[in-house]
Amino acid sequence: MTSNNSEQIEYAIEAKGLSKRFGENIAVNKLDLKIPKGSIYGFLGPNGCGKSTSIRLLTGLLEASEGDVTILGKPLQGHEESLKTRIGYMTQKFSLYDNLTVRENLDFVGAIYGFAGKRKKARIEELLALYDLEKQTKQFAGSMSGGQKQRLALACATLHSPELLFLDEPTSAVDPENRREFWERLFDLCAAGTTILVSTHYMDEAERCHALAIMEEGNKRADGSPQALMESMSATVVEVSGNKLRQLKQTLTDHPDILSAAQIGAHLRVLVKKKVHDPLLFISELSNGRESILARPSLEDVFVTCTGERYVD
Ligand SMILES: Nc1ncnc2c1ncn2[C@@H]1O[C@H](COP(=O)(O)OP(=O)(O)OP(=O)(O)O)[C@@H](O)[C@H]1O
């Protein structure tokens, strides 16, 4: 991050009241954001919650219905063209040319960003080595595996060394190992000064971000670092074990002071509202004295708590 002193923080993205309507449907509703330079920020939420639309608004590809956006210190409105060279964007479907080879894809993107001659060749060689694509240079992009396509898409999105990188669900089409590797590469980019905004519906991925926004139906329900979100959660987590968990789950979820009860293996993970002073006694009474313990909150618990906010008193 740029600074420890809050007065000196430089923001890569600032948004105020950002909204987008498609007819009657509000895809993004009054979104406020302050994303420090040099950080990895996540949008976490289910399909259709407005992640892609928010990213497209912040890149200037889509016009907002309302709100103000400042990107890398400049108002987005009126600076869309000049900002394009400072921004990278990797779309959900990777936007590769299937009928072009790996090298041709990079060549094409290089030309778009005004690279030519030795400079272009050198940058492409650098990216081929960095993203482990040297053996695939002549392969058509359409015939590559999900992981290879993802690495090529990241190489294309970062060819012009953008200061700010948008990644829309970049790991949906790859296995867990590729996903881990991909995140290592993101932290390398971040260490070199790139600010990254990444959307995901994976909890483990969101947990890797410096900070994130939890989104639902176009609204930001909460934001902060994963740690801060877990610490400020408005529920206590209790794990209950024993038999007949399916019936117990029903009894517990019917109770107004219980936000959710989900079976994980041989126990139920129960989110009890914070206003309940002794959650273990409370659960013991509701479950005929079954064994229960307090557990550490996870980001998934935060998500359930935030998106179920309307049920919280
Ligand atoms: N061009 C459009 N015209 C009409 N409605 C749209 C358009 N783009 C998005 N929407 C709607 O806006 C809402 C948010 O969609 P968006 O794609 O931003 O969600 P998302 O969180 O990125 O989900 P996904 O991961 O499935 O893409 C959805 O209800 C979607 O149908």
Side-chain angles (χ1 to χ4, degrees):
M1 311 246 178
T2 311
S3 165
N4 293 328
N5 183 339
S6 61
E7 284 172 20
Q8 288 170 12
I9 290 179
E10 283 184 63
Y11 294 102
I13 300 176
E14 290 178 86
K16 187 107 194 76
L18 184 63
S19 301
K20 181 66 187 178
R21 280 184 295 275
F22 293 109
E24 298 280 284
N25 181 16
I26 302 179
V28 178
N29 190 22
K30 301 190 182 103
L31 179 65
D32 292 337
L33 291 171
K34 272 181 184 281
I35 302 180
K37 278 190 180 174
S39 64
I40 301 185
Y41 189 89
F43 280 160
L44 173 68
N47 289 340
C49 72
K51 305 183 297 292
S52 301
T53 306
S54 301
I55 288 180
R56 293 176 66 214
L57 291 170
L58 295 169
T59 55
L61 288 170
L62 193 63
E63 200 178 330
S65 306
E66 278 153 35
D68 296 309
V69 176
T70 303
I71 298 289
L72 300 168
K74 285 190 177 168
L76 177 60
Q77 206 174 8
H79 292 90
E80 292 89 345
E81 279 310 308
S82 66
L83 282 169
K84 260 184 201 160
T85 56
R86 302 173 66 193
I87 289 175
Y89 176 30
M90 183 169 149
T91 61
Q92 228 173 69
K93 299 230 160 74
F94 297 163
S95 305
L96 298 170
Y97 294 94
D98 283 353
N99 297 327
L100 296 185
T101 65
V102 168
R103 188 181 287 282
E104 286 166 346
N105 265 280
L106 288 165
D107 216 57
F108 184 72
V109 174
I112 290 176
Y113 284 109
F115 283 64
K118 281 189 186 153
R119 180 169 167 251
K120 183 164 73 174
K121 190 167 183 315
R123 180 63 178 146
I124 289 176
E125 292 306 329
E126 187 183 3
L127 289 166
L128 288 170
L130 184 63
Y131 292 113
D132 200 13
L133 292 165
E134 283 162 312
K135 289 190 190 131
Q136 271 90 33
T137 53
K138 291 182 181 159
Q139 190 172 342
F140 288 113
S143 68
M144 295 201 301
S145 71
Q148 291 165 343
K149 280 185 186 171
Q150 182 202 45
R151 296 204 300 278
L152 177 57
L154 186 61
C156 289
T158 55
L159 190 142
H160 58 300
S161 307
E163 294 158 66
L164 173 59
L165 182 60
F166 293 93
L167 306 169
D168 196 358
E169 296 192 11
T171 64
S172 298
V174 302
D175 61 37
E177 196 182 326
N178 274 301
R179 206 189 309 168
R180 240 190 343 268
E181 258 177 41
F182 185 79
W183 271 85
E184 288 301 310
R185 294 176 197 279
L186 296 192
F187 278 106
D188 285 342
L189 285 165
C190 179
T194 313
T195 308
I196 299 174
L197 193 160
V198 56
S199 75
T200 182
H201 50 252
Y202 297 118
M203 300 291 164
D204 64 324
E205 202 157 70
E207 215 157 323
R208 294 170 191 252
C209 298
H210 293 117
L212 67 137
I214 292 182
M215 296 175 67
E216 184 192 38
E217 294 174 357
N219 294 287
K220 184 176 81 175
R221 298 290 186 208
D223 66 358
S225 69
Q227 199 56 38
L229 285 168
M230 289 186 239
E231 279 166 12
S232 63
M233 204 174 77
S234 63
T236 308
V237 187
V238 179
E239 281 181 0
V240 192
S241 36
N243 52 20
K244 296 199 176 154
L245 291 178
R246 301 313 287 164
Q247 286 101 312
L248 178 61
K249 175 186 154 97
Q250 196 53 50
T251 311
L252 294 179
T253 41
D254 285 346
H255 196 287
D257 287 341
I258 289 181
L259 291 171
S260 91
Q263 186 159 0
I264 317 262
H267 61 257
L268 285 182
R269 192 169 178 90
V270 188
L271 299 183
V272 182
K273 285 186 186 175
K274 267 268 152 69
K275 71 175 190 186
V276 174
H277 294 302
D278 189 342
L280 289 180
L281 179 65
F282 169 75
I283 291 291
S284 172
E285 285 171 358
L286 279 178
S287 66
N288 294 325
R290 273 175 227 233
E291 196 183 321
S292 62
I293 54 164
L294 294 177
R296 276 189 62 234
S298 68
L299 201 52
E300 185 161 347
D301 298 326
V302 175
F303 187 83
V304 172
T305 310
C306 292
T307 57
E309 198 61 31
R310 56 190 175 277
Y311 303 117
V312 181
D313 286 342

